[in-house]
Amino acid sequence: MSVQENLRDSGVSWPDGARAATVITVDLDAELFWVQLDPVSKERPKTLSLGEYGPNRGIPRLLSVLSDYEVSATFFVPGAVADRYSETLRAIDRAGHEIAAKGYLPSSFVHFDNEEQRDSLRRSIAAIERATGKRPRGFRSFDDIDGSTLEILVEEGFTWTSVLAGDDRPQVQLVDNSGAATLIDIPSLWELNEFRYFGFNYGPAMPAGQNRPASYARVAADWKDEYDAYAEARASFVLTLDPQSIGKPGRISILREVLEHIRNRGDAWFTTAGELADWWRDSSYAKIPEGAAEPIRRRTIRQIDTER
Amino acid sequence: MLNSERIRWPNGAKCAVLISFDVDGPAVWIEGEREAWHRPRTFSLGGYGPLRGVPRILDLLDEVQVPGSFYVPGWVAENWPSQFRDINLAGHEIGHHGYLHEVYAHRTLDEFAGIVTRAQDAFVANGADPAVGFRSPGGDFRDGNHRILEELGFEYSSSMRGDDRPYRWVVDGRTTDLIEICAHWELDDFPYWGFNDEPADPVSQDRIAGLDWVYDNWKREFDGYYAEGLCYTLMMHPQVIGKPGRVALLRKLIRYMQEHEGVWFATAKQIADWWRETY
């Protein structure tokens, strides 16, 4: 496969001459994933147990692999999960990983008004602080966000997100009056999202069409090919994992295989989402790029409103 | 039990392997709105399981000398009595799987208890002992089912998804002798290969998975369970795994596992008994 050919280089000089900024992100939704998917799950012990596997068995296995490869990851944890699994959260924190917010319940910000968004964010910050004593600075939504969410995040003290999908390197979303970046997004892309390949249940159905769970070997091969191409393009390679899925005894081999591949190449800058956002903010790249989706979306909406 | 704690298996075995089959027959196509009673082709899709799948699987288990646990709806035992007896006479375990593959989340607790008894009667009428093991058919069950199972004398359940080693059920705050042996969707043949056009299964009509990819997934999971000394539960359906090419895949996988030292192939009852005595 020659995916490395004819790629446009980002031109970014990552620290220490690295070819790709590499971030492992983890969604720890636990059983709340299934409750969010369908509230009937609350009365379905078997379905809930799919999610409980995450904190109980998946997390220890995942932490062990991350420790073997000396990688610090970024964990996105809904506040309700932080409250329920506070000991797990402390173990993640003690191992030197970053913990970021995901709202209180894994519910959709699309359907929240501004006050509901603020309330969810504040409760999630409080829950993570209760568990770890540290205030989260980063946020990932459970699914899409509302048009007002990015501004609300800045007002509530967040400095970065991992929400959008329109880039393969950090992207400045908001700037202040002096032009300084106030919110930076670390994009997470579907093809590098593990749960989308393997998450499965019959009822409530996930995926909705009950498509086949993917081939482990195929996903491992795809991610290695993608990494090689990201390094060629000097982009930022952001993997997204869910412990209830990647944390299975056999599936964890995919992560080992990919980390082994990246380590053997020796050209990655392993960092957390928060560190990467900070680095980007302090770099000469901290500008909203021409053609970025969000300013175009906003401009067009204003135009439509004016014409109406 | 902590992840770091290594399980003690009998005779110093390194891990346990449960080869299990849900002999649903057409019943899996009947529960819910699937109307297989009036759809001969769909009905026959399920009928392949007891008619062709079971004998082929019994031959394989005999060849590789591995015991199996077979979860059989009572109605299937009544209508395929010779296959049912063959499973029993070959010394494999027969476990409970509803009367007509009922989804217990949709049934009251009284209905549940009635279904359990009716299926047990079918087993006894066809020369088997009442089952001591329970696997919840299809979808979910509800809170309270396991209290009734305990009252009815069941010794284990293989219905949950949340662990990779056995554990004791906690019922009404009490830790009981009822053992759970979890199964997992990635070690189930139906999500990979189950297919029908009308009624559509899967809903997306996604393509049937590749034999080589499922083999690799199952092999990688075995490698992980073996390395960590866990309880590997394959959950299969004779109407799915019982096809010639897929039984060949299962043979290859069992042979691969047998190349490893200290793999304890056991029925679910044997695993549950060991767990109850040891933990």
Side-chain angles (χ1 to χ4, degrees):
Chain A
M1 193 167 174
S2 59
V3 288
Q4 293 101 322
E5 286 167 18
N6 298 321
L7 289 173
R8 218 175 257 239
D9 189 313
S10 74
V12 174
S13 297
W14 299 113
D16 305 322
R19 291 296 310 188
T22 303
V23 182
I24 307 295
T25 71
V26 181
D27 288 327
L28 183 58
D29 298 326
E31 62 270 32
L32 290 178
F33 173 85
W34 301 101
V35 176
Q36 166 282 144
L37 186 69
D38 188 339
V40 76
S41 302
K42 282 182 206 162
E43 287 141 37
R44 302 210 166 175
K46 172 172 155 184
T47 294
L48 292 177
S49 76
L50 286 165
E52 290 159 357
Y53 191 94
N56 292 338
R57 298 298 178 199
I59 285 284
R61 205 168 270 127
L62 178 60
L63 291 181
S64 155
V65 171
L66 294 173
S67 156
D68 288 351
Y69 288 88
E70 297 175 338
V71 171
S72 292
T74 300
F75 289 72
F76 296 90
V77 188
V81 172
D83 279 341
R84 188 169 303 179
Y85 295 100
S86 56
E87 193 45 53
T88 301
L89 235 67
R90 281 189 283 278
I92 294 167
D93 180 52
R94 273 198 306 274
H97 302 291
E98 173 181 35
I99 294 174
K102 229 185 159 181
Y104 190 76
L105 292 166
S107 37
S108 175
F109 273 48
V110 178
H111 305 297
F112 277 173
D113 65 28
N114 290 2
E115 275 320 297
E116 287 169 325
Q117 294 187 53
R118 284 183 200 283
D119 179 61
S120 179
L121 291 172
R122 286 173 189 171
R123 289 172 68 205
S124 77
I125 293 168
I128 290 171
E129 280 184 325
R130 270 195 296 279
T132 67
K134 293 176 187 165
R135 185 188 173 91
R137 297 184 305 121
F139 171 82
R140 172 178 285 169
S141 52
F142 186 73
D143 48 14
D144 212 328
I145 53 173
D146 179 73
S148 61
T149 306
L150 297 176
E151 277 85 1
I152 290 173
L153 284 164
V154 172
E155 288 162 18
E156 296 298 323
F158 288 92
T159 60
W160 63 272
T161 56
S162 181
V163 166
L164 303 175
D167 213 334
D168 47 29
R169 64 209 69 167
Q171 193 183 84
V172 174
Q173 296 304 323
L174 296 174
V175 294
D176 64 17
N177 291 335
S178 71
T182 53
L183 193 73
I184 291 173
D185 189 68
I186 308 297
S188 161
L189 308 185
W190 290 126
E191 61 275 20
L192 298 176
N193 186 325
E194 176 264 334
F195 202 47
R196 299 295 148 179
Y197 291 94
F198 299 121
F200 189 87
N201 194 37
Y202 277 117
M206 194 262 170
Q210 296 182 337
N211 305 58
R212 316 295 176 187
S215 152
Y216 296 10
R218 179 74 179 272
V219 172
D222 284 359
W223 287 356
K224 287 186 282 186
D225 283 347
E226 286 285 3
Y227 177 82
D228 292 348
Y230 272 68
E232 189 69 19
R234 288 197 280 180
S236 53
F237 183 77
V238 180
L239 269 186
T240 297
L241 312 171
D242 189 322
Q244 66 178 282
S245 172
I246 194 71
K248 296 297 178 80
R251 224 175 251 152
I252 197 77
S253 69
I254 299 169
L255 180 62
R256 282 190 185 277
E257 213 176 300
V258 172
L259 290 176
E260 187 73 21
H261 174 79
I262 298 175
R263 184 168 74 177
N264 288 343
R265 285 183 52 115
D267 57 2
W269 172 40
F270 277 104
T271 182
T272 61
E275 272 176 10
L276 178 56
D278 285 346
W279 183 86
W280 194 261
R281 184 180 300 103
D282 294 339
S283 75
S284 59
Y285 314 110
K287 298 187 260 300
I288 298 177
E290 189 69 32
E294 185 57 13
I296 294 174
R297 186 187 72 82
R298 287 163 188 251
R299 199 160 60 227
T300 313
I301 286 211
R302 274 199 305 275
Q303 196 179 324
I304 291 168
D305 287 348
T306 312
E307 286 166 7
R308 191 173 283 153
Chain B
M1 184 180 219
L2 296 172
N3 272 52
S4 52
E5 191 180 336
R6 190 91 190 175
I7 299 169
R8 275 175 292 127
W9 295 113
N11 303 313
K14 294 201 165 120
C15 79
V17 171
L18 166 59
I19 305 290
S20 68
F21 303 91
D22 296 355
V23 192
D24 298 338
V28 70
W29 300 102
I30 289 165
E31 172 71 16
E33 304 298 322
R34 296 174 137 181
E35 299 179 348
W37 296 123
H38 308 293
R39 292 178 183 265
R41 187 176 66 179
T42 300
F43 197 89
S44 73
L45 186 65
Y48 187 97
L51 178 69
R52 299 295 176 212
V54 165
R56 199 171 274 133
I57 288 162
L58 292 178
D59 286 351
L60 171 64
L61 295 181
D62 182 53
E63 176 195 328
V64 296
Q65 286 296 295
V66 163
S69 292
F70 291 72
Y71 300 89
V72 190
W75 172 81
V76 172
E78 288 171 349
N79 287 281
W80 283 269
S82 74
Q83 285 86 349
F84 180 77
R85 286 204 184 90
D86 287 348
I87 297 169
N88 195 29
L89 290 174
H92 301 296
E93 181 192 2
I94 290 176
H96 203 282
H97 202 46
Y99 180 75
L100 258 176
H101 203 266
E102 296 85 355
V103 175
Y104 296 129
H106 305 151
R107 305 296 174 120
T108 67
L109 293 181
D110 280 348
E111 285 170 339
F112 172 72
I115 291 164
V116 171
T117 305
R118 188 172 180 195
Q120 296 285 47
D121 292 347
F123 289 175
V124 172
N126 284 280
D129 292 331
V132 297
F134 167 89
R135 176 170 283 167
S136 180
D140 264 82
F141 50 89
R142 62 169 64 227
D143 281 334
N145 286 158
H146 282 73
R147 175 168 46 77
I148 292 171
L149 288 175
E150 198 200 5
E151 285 164 10
L152 292 174
F154 278 82
E155 297 173 9
Y156 77 88
S157 151
S158 178
S159 306
M160 295 286 274
R161 298 289 180 270
D163 213 335
D164 40 38
R165 57 208 87 191
Y167 61 85
R168 287 170 179 266
W169 267 88
V170 176
V171 175
D172 302 333
R174 266 180 317 111
T175 302
T176 68
D177 282 341
L178 188 69
I179 306 298
E180 176 64 32
I181 302 171
C182 289
H184 298 276
W185 294 131
E186 63 273 19
L187 295 174
D188 180 342
D189 57 359
F190 225 102
Y192 295 105
W193 293 319
F195 190 86
N196 194 33
D197 62 349
E198 181 61 47
D201 191 336
V203 174
S204 63
Q205 295 288 278
D206 191 15
R207 313 294 171 183
I208 287 169
L211 291 174
D212 58 344
W213 113 40
V214 178
Y215 177 76
D216 178 72
N217 287 11
W218 288 0
K219 176 172 168 290
R220 281 175 185 250
E221 288 295 345
F222 171 76
D223 291 343
Y225 279 75
Y226 182 77
E228 296 188 38
L230 306 172
C231 178
Y232 181 84
T233 304
L234 269 184
M235 177 172 64
M236 296 167 286
H237 303 75
Q239 63 182 282
V240 177
I241 194 75
K243 305 290 173 71
R246 295 177 190 154
V247 164
L249 175 156
L250 179 58
R251 175 192 288 114
K252 187 170 137 190
L253 182 68
I254 291 174
R255 291 292 190 202
Y256 172 76
M257 295 193 275
Q258 287 178 327
E259 287 166 15
H260 293 69
E261 193 191 324
V263 177
W264 182 39
F265 288 93
T267 64
K269 175 176 162 49
Q270 289 169 328
I271 292 170
D273 286 346
W274 168 262
W275 196 265
R276 199 178 306 104
E277 286 160 21
T278 315
Y279 294 104

